[in-house]
Amino acid sequence: MDRLDNTVRPYAWGSPTAIPELLGTEPTGEPQAEMWMGAHPGAPSHTPRGTLVEVIAADPERELGAEAVAKFGPRLPFLLKILAAGAPLSLQVHPDLAQAREGYAEEERRGVPVDAPDRNYKDANHKPELICALTEFDGLCGFRAPAEAADLLDGLGVDSLKPYVDLLRAHPEDAALREVLTAILTADAAAMADTVTEATAACARLGGPYAPYADMAHHYPGDPGVIAAMLLNHVRLQPGEALFLGAGIPHAYLTGLGVEIMANSDNVLRCGLTPKHVDVPELLRVVRFEAGDPGVLRPEASEDGEEVYETPIDEFRLSRYLLPGGTARDLTLRTPQILLCTAGSVRVGEHELLPGRSVFVPAGEKTEASGEGTLFRATVIV
């Protein structure tokens, strides 16, 4: 197995302190948003044998196992991250596999450069993801019931929001959500900015359930995403709780530190809270206009102490061990795995892992873990 040296991405929304505090390092004063663990070509982990991309490419079956290569090809199908949100991320959705393949092929046909700012599909893969909270973690996930969204908007007392309130109360659920989101994203920019400004003042005055939207507007003044966000469920995760974000589910992370795992893709369609490209017609093609409970996940414990976050995805499987000290645990698998310590001190093979440190374990390699701390395991299902 190989100890991983991982890249921290300095996106503007990142917390300047959360990842340094986890790693026990001094803050640089700059935002530190995501630490990537895996074989994504944008920022692959480094090992003593080279980057993880190079290690896997040299002998895919040895590193990933024959079953994983047969199912997913000669690449690691997931990307593991530590995510530290100090400000809201963009309000976004991800395509399903068929939509991603269709969208990617269409943009390739039109000759849109992969690095173009108005390109939607960077690859032909879907991007389901799971976020597990390490601290209290705020986010948005899926649509509220239209009647609840209407009440929230109506409570602001902003006249220009009344048409949205009426639409949400007068139409069937899916039509109401579609019409209102479309209206918000296609409204006159100047008029919408005025609406957001007035709504922001009301949110700041009212506080309580409106406080998150006042904070969003502080970071993105005049952005229509502030109003669109009120259509979604606001979720506050406690440490150890998680959210699964499937295709077409609008979502955004707001604040907090978590472990995130996703299929290895860059495909994002944005609704707001961003200066980046928003393609409204394509977004509306991908969004699932279904209201419902966001579905907070809690891990299910097995007899050997592994706590698994169950999802309907084969490209990744996330679990954790709360190690009490004493007897070593056998973690050997026939699939590749990344093991990440987030608390305490855990010995994996010959490696002593402190918080934020990780190792890559090739498929089938004998692996034991001992010590006292929290160890996350990322692997695949074959």
Side-chain angles (χ1 to χ4, degrees):
M1 73 182 67
D2 294 303
R3 181 184 289 272
L4 298 179
D5 181 14
N6 304 305
T7 298
V8 176
R9 310 306 294 266
Y11 305 137
W13 50 261
S15 164
T17 58
I19 289 177
E21 285 176 3
L22 181 73
L23 297 174
T25 59
E26 286 295 319
T28 64
E30 299 298 317
Q32 298 190 36
E34 296 180 347
M35 186 171 76
W36 289 20
M37 292 159 279
H40 191 287
S45 298
H46 289 260
T47 80
R49 295 185 286 157
T51 70
L52 196 53
V53 171
E54 294 166 342
V55 168
I56 291 171
D59 195 343
E61 289 207 359
R62 177 184 180 279
E63 303 297 334
L64 305 178
E67 292 172 288
V69 172
K71 187 168 185 176
F72 304 110
R75 62 184 185 88
L76 190 67
F78 65 82
L79 176 64
L80 184 68
K81 300 178 180 179
I82 293 175
L83 182 147
L89 282 68
S90 61
L91 189 59
Q92 60 189 258
V93 296
H94 305 304
D96 64 24
L97 191 55
Q99 290 165 339
R101 288 173 174 170
E102 181 182 346
Y104 179 79
E106 171 61 18
E107 290 186 320
E108 287 289 282
R109 184 190 65 78
R110 292 193 284 113
V112 182
V114 173
D115 59 353
D118 60 345
R119 174 128 185 180
N120 293 317
Y121 296 95
K122 305 298 178 66
D123 53 68
N125 200 16
H126 63 165
K127 192 188 177 187
E129 59 191 41
L130 176 80
I131 184 76
C132 177
L134 295 178
T135 65
E136 196 171 74
F137 193 99
D138 275 23
L140 305 171
C141 179
F143 286 107
R144 301 174 187 266
E148 293 178 10
D151 290 344
L152 191 69
L153 291 173
D154 198 25
L156 292 171
V158 175
D159 288 343
S160 55
L161 292 176
K162 296 296 185 184
Y164 304 147
V165 172
D166 293 341
L167 284 169
L168 289 166
R169 288 177 173 162
H171 288 72
E173 181 177 278
D174 57 345
L177 294 169
R178 178 182 291 274
E179 286 192 42
V180 173
L181 183 62
T182 302
I184 291 169
L185 297 180
T186 57
D188 176 79
M192 177 54 69
D194 289 342
T195 295
V196 174
T197 298
E198 190 176 352
T200 299
C203 287
R205 183 180 69 254
L206 293 167
Y210 292 99
Y213 309 101
D215 184 64
M216 289 175 213
H218 170 74
H219 292 284
Y220 300 99
D223 193 306
V226 175
I227 306 301
M230 294 188 187
L231 303 178
L232 307 187
N233 296 296
H234 176 246
V235 184
R236 177 162 292 167
L237 300 177
Q238 298 304 311
E241 295 180 334
L243 285 175
F244 172 70
L245 294 315
I249 303 299
H251 62 277
Y253 303 144
L254 303 179
T255 59
L257 182 71
V259 173
E260 185 183 34
I261 190 168
M262 62 188 61
N264 215 347
S265 171
D266 276 338
N267 288 326
V268 177
L269 293 156
R270 297 174 178 87
C271 310
L273 306 181
T274 179
K276 296 182 179 179
H277 176 61
V278 175
D279 183 336
V280 175
E282 187 63 15
L283 176 77
L284 298 175
R285 187 179 79 92
V286 168
V287 173
R288 289 170 53 191
F289 289 96
E290 300 172 3
D293 187 280
V296 173
L297 296 177
R298 296 171 182 85
E300 299 182 13
S302 60
E303 291 184 1
D304 69 350
E306 184 183 25
E307 298 182 347
V308 181
Y309 294 91
E310 298 287 355
T311 72
I313 297 299
D314 291 347
E315 283 96 331
F316 61 75
R317 176 182 182 273
L318 186 72
S319 61
R320 69 174 184 174
Y321 288 87
L322 304 178
L323 300 173
T327 307
R329 302 287 180 90
D330 183 2
L331 302 188
T332 307
L333 290 177
R334 69 181 194 274
T335 50
Q337 49 185 324
I338 291 177
L339 302 174
L340 164 68
C341 176
T342 59
S345 175
V346 179
R347 176 165 288 277
V348 180
E350 63 183 21
H351 301 287
E352 191 75 25
L353 300 184
L354 297 176
R357 275 65 179 189
S358 55
V359 292
F360 172 75
V361 184
E365 183 167 314
K366 179 68 176 177
T367 309
E368 287 189 340
S370 60
E372 185 172 352
T374 302
L375 188 71
F376 279 84
R377 169 197 263 173
T379 187
V380 299
I381 297 175
V382 295

